[in-house]
Amino acid sequence: MKVYTKTGDKGTTALFGGTRVPKHHIRIESYGTVDELNSYIGLIRDQEMNPLYKKVLIEIQDRLFTVGAILATDPEKAILKNGKERLNIPKISVADIELLENEIDRMEDSLPQMTHFVLPGGHTTVSYCHIARCVCRRAERLSVSLNESEPVDESVLKYLNRLSDYLFVLARKLTFDLQAEEVKWIPRKED
């Protein structure tokens, strides 16, 4: 199988199910941003850190491929008229969302309570987490926007929302583990 097909040379691409849409379609923007997020998570995973974090990040990357597949599927082509699924697309489960919540809770148990917003940075790995968090929020915004015109599985929206929280807490936990400085944002007082 060749990487290039030449079928997209005129600015369209095919969704799972065969529907062709412009490459700027909100559905393409949604799963393209999830792919970008997955790449940033790979960059985070390539850093020196606790092997447990790497294990969770691999699981997240796997789930993001599932999210991408769901978003890349034309909802009208996914279900047959008799209600059965036409395409064998995996799902995001409650357990996938609970994994993120449990990891957030576990990490937060060892962190000082947050009293202020924090400025992204302090260590390269921490900065990568904040970049991934921002890309995750963009993927979520695009998916919510898509959901206003075409249905998006609610579990995808929940997963992206929880994942951005996880990435924020991971950034704080890595700041703590790496003994990096967490800079609080304290608004300036006007004279």
Side-chain angles (χ1 to χ4, degrees):
M1 179 174 147
K2 289 189 175 194
V3 171
Y4 60 91
T5 62
K6 301 182 183 181
T7 58
D9 289 353
K10 295 194 178 188
T12 64
T13 192
L15 301 174
F16 289 154
T19 304
R20 292 202 71 80
V21 296
K23 289 186 177 185
H24 62 79
H25 191 280
I26 185 77
R27 186 170 289 282
I28 308 307
E29 288 288 340
S30 296
Y31 74 75
T33 303
V34 168
D35 187 36
E36 180 183 354
L37 170 61
N38 207 336
S39 297
Y40 275 113
I41 290 176
L43 182 62
I44 296 166
R45 189 172 52 83
D46 288 342
Q47 309 306 303
E48 290 298 319
M49 67 179 68
N50 183 320
L52 173 63
Y53 305 157
K54 290 185 179 213
K55 182 180 175 186
V56 172
L57 290 170
I58 287 172
E59 178 65 22
I60 289 168
Q61 286 187 288
D62 178 82
R63 299 293 73 215
L64 286 176
F65 263 92
T66 297
V67 168
I70 293 168
L71 291 171
T73 302
D74 180 346
E76 290 184 13
K77 303 271 176 110
I79 307 293
L80 295 172
K81 290 181 181 174
N82 63 9
K84 292 187 177 180
E85 290 189 30
R86 176 176 171 239
L87 304 170
N88 189 18
I89 304 294
K91 302 289 183 219
I92 294 296
S93 69
V94 170
D96 296 325
I97 296 165
E98 287 174 347
L99 171 71
L100 296 175
E101 292 172 346
N102 292 336
E103 287 302 309
I104 290 168
D105 293 344
R106 186 185 58 70
M107 289 186 291
E108 282 190 325
D109 282 347
S110 65
L111 293 173
Q113 187 167 1
M114 246 181 79
T115 57
H116 294 81
F117 288 109
V118 295
L119 299 180
H123 188 280
T124 302
T125 307
V126 173
S127 295
Y128 291 151
C129 288
H130 283 292
I131 292 168
R133 172 185 56 79
C134 292
V135 173
C136 187
R137 287 287 188 207
R138 180 164 27 100
E140 180 186 14
R141 288 189 306 271
L142 288 164
S143 297
V144 167
S145 181
L146 172 63
N147 190 51
E148 291 177 0
S149 59
E150 300 177 31
V152 172
D153 187 328
E154 187 177 299
S155 64
V156 166
L157 303 177
K158 286 181 183 178
Y159 189 81
L160 291 172
N161 183 272
R162 212 68 82 249
L163 179 55
S164 62
D165 295 335
Y166 168 84
L167 291 166
F168 177 76
V169 175
L170 180 61
R172 290 199 70 225
K173 180 66 170 126
L174 288 169
T175 297
F176 183 81
D177 291 354
L178 296 164
Q179 298 178 334
E181 183 183 5
E182 186 171 78
V183 178
K184 296 177 182 176
W185 177 68
I186 304 191
R188 287 186 203 165
K189 294 184 180 179
E190 296 296 321
D191 294 332

